[in-house]
Amino acid sequence: MIFSTLLFAFGKSYLILFLARAVQGIGSACAATGGMGMLAQQYSDDKQRARYMGIAMGGMALGLLIGAPYGGAMYDIFHGKEICFLILAGLGVLGVGLQLLVLPPKLEFHEHTSESTSMRKLLMDPRILIAAGSIFVGNLGLGVLSPGLQLWMVDKWNSSAFELGVVFFPSSLAYLIGTTFVPSISIKLGRWRCVLFALPIIAICLSFVSFAPAIFWLFIPITVIGICISFIDSAMIPLITHMAYIKHKDETNAYAISDAGLSIAFFIAPFASGPLVQTIGFQWTTWAFAIGILCFAPLALLLRKPSKGERLQETSITSSVTKM
């Protein structure tokens, strides 16, 4: 990620910036998957795992919260991107130092490593696939707005770099707040209900974005979308990990699947929305994605009850813990 940040700082051509983005994605995927997998192994209790994963997702949200307005402001102040990315590279070096200090590298050998479930086997589980699909579909709402909304703002209001950055501030703040409180709420309400209600709300907000008469009015639907995404992510990521642990004794690959759902959403949505906005317009693009999100929502009902095998294994684990 430090290397990709330096590429962003000094890259001039589109090819170099594209390469930087790809390298950044690899680094981010390794950090996110490894970090959340470590949390999943450390906390086997479902409630504890949901709580600490929520804190970790709040850390990601904090980065998004600060990053967008920071980038816009720094670009306006220094009339370029170099200083902005060099400061981030320095923070990355500091992060490496903290990592080595708090979590020094060491080799660990686990007794059941050979029984680790393959990614393919996890993806064959329909409930895990639907949960990962919920993360993917839920984040499409924000993914389609990333380039599409900014293109529309420049075309309609001739917005500045700072305005383009700060427009997603409410969404990140809402996500940060949501990931703090939602994990415990989702267990009480039922995680499937979080998805069932959040996806239609995202679709409704997405369809109303293009009617905003001014930048201020964009904050309302974008904030609601951020809250809904926090409900989906905070409910589904621990659920995927829990199902994988109960049925397949595998946590790390489970989080890799949920992270892939998030990453694919932020790959497909921006990749598709740019050409779609230029072809059919921003309004029809948001409506098309809203319809797709709405159609997926009823599948959350399939997450309502665990399968028979899941119930038996969960009961077995609970009884063994009680005896201990």
Side-chain angles (χ1 to χ4, degrees):
M1 285 191 285
I2 295 170
F3 176 64
S4 70
T5 306
L6 293 174
L7 284 178
F8 275 122
F10 299 109
K12 301 294 183 183
S13 67
Y14 177 82
L15 182 61
I16 295 298
L17 296 177
F18 186 88
L19 176 64
R21 188 63 166 166
V23 173
Q24 183 192 49
I26 294 170
S28 178
C30 290
T33 304
M36 295 295 261
M38 181 177 62
L39 285 177
Q41 288 181 341
Q42 183 72 24
Y43 302 102
S44 57
D45 179 73
D46 189 33
K47 291 183 179 179
Q48 275 194 324
R49 180 181 291 163
R51 178 188 173 191
Y52 289 111
M53 281 188 172
I55 294 172
M57 286 187 287
M60 298 180 200
L62 186 62
L64 292 171
L65 182 70
I66 297 172
Y70 159 80
M74 293 291 283
Y75 191 90
D76 282 343
I77 292 170
F78 293 101
H79 304 286
K81 60 184 174 62
E82 289 79 8
I83 298 298
C84 172
F85 285 108
L86 286 174
I87 291 173
L88 290 180
L91 291 175
V93 173
L94 178 63
V96 171
L98 291 172
Q99 173 82 14
L100 293 172
L101 181 65
V102 178
L103 296 167
K106 59 182 179 179
L107 290 175
E108 293 182 352
F109 298 93
H110 300 281
E111 295 180 6
H112 301 289
T113 304
S114 60
E115 298 178 8
S116 179
T117 309
S118 68
M119 188 76 72
R120 182 181 176 183
K121 190 173 180 181
L122 288 174
L123 288 172
M124 294 295 288
D125 189 318
R127 282 165 51 78
I128 290 178
L129 201 58
I130 291 171
S134 300
I135 296 171
F136 164 71
V137 174
N139 282 278
L140 280 178
L142 197 59
V144 70
L145 293 177
S146 297
L149 179 61
Q150 292 173 331
L151 290 172
W152 181 72
M153 288 171 63
V154 170
D155 183 58
K156 188 171 183 178
W157 298 313
N158 195 26
S159 300
S160 65
F162 178 74
E163 288 173 333
L164 296 177
V166 80
V167 71
F168 291 106
F169 183 88
S171 174
S172 301
L173 180 61
Y175 186 89
L176 174 62
I177 295 171
T179 52
T180 305
F181 299 103
V182 170
S184 57
I185 296 173
S186 65
I187 294 174
K188 295 177 182 178
L189 291 179
R191 286 166 172 157
W192 64 275
R193 287 192 179 95
C194 293
V195 176
L196 187 63
F197 290 113
L199 286 179
I201 294 173
I202 290 174
I204 293 169
C205 291
L206 197 59
S207 62
F208 276 99
V209 165
S210 58
F211 293 105
I215 293 176
F216 173 79
W217 291 100
L218 289 173
F219 291 163
I220 298 173
I222 287 177
T223 301
V224 176
I225 288 174
I227 293 173
C228 290
I229 293 175
S230 75
F231 267 81
I232 294 170
D233 289 355
S234 298
M236 290 297 100
I237 292 175
L239 179 63
I240 292 173
T241 310
H242 180 65
M243 289 189 294
Y245 177 74
I246 293 294
K247 297 179 69 175
H248 307 288
K249 299 295 185 291
D250 190 333
E251 302 101 335
T252 305
N253 280 336
Y255 183 72
I257 291 172
S258 60
D259 190 48
L262 176 66
S263 301
I264 294 170
F266 279 95
F267 169 75
I268 291 178
F271 188 80
S273 65
L276 282 173
V277 168
Q278 293 178 345
T279 305
I280 63 175
F282 177 70
Q283 187 178 71
W284 282 104
T285 301
T286 54
W287 287 0
F289 274 85
I291 292 169
I293 293 169
L294 198 60
C295 290
F296 185 89
L299 291 178
L301 292 169
L302 299 177
L303 299 173
R304 182 171 49 179
K305 294 181 180 179
S307 63
K308 183 178 179 182
E310 247 179 278
R311 286 197 300 268
L312 289 173
Q313 291 185 55
E314 190 165 5
T315 303
S316 174
I317 290 173
T318 305
S319 61
S320 63
V321 170
T322 305
K323 288 177 182 178
M324 291 173 63

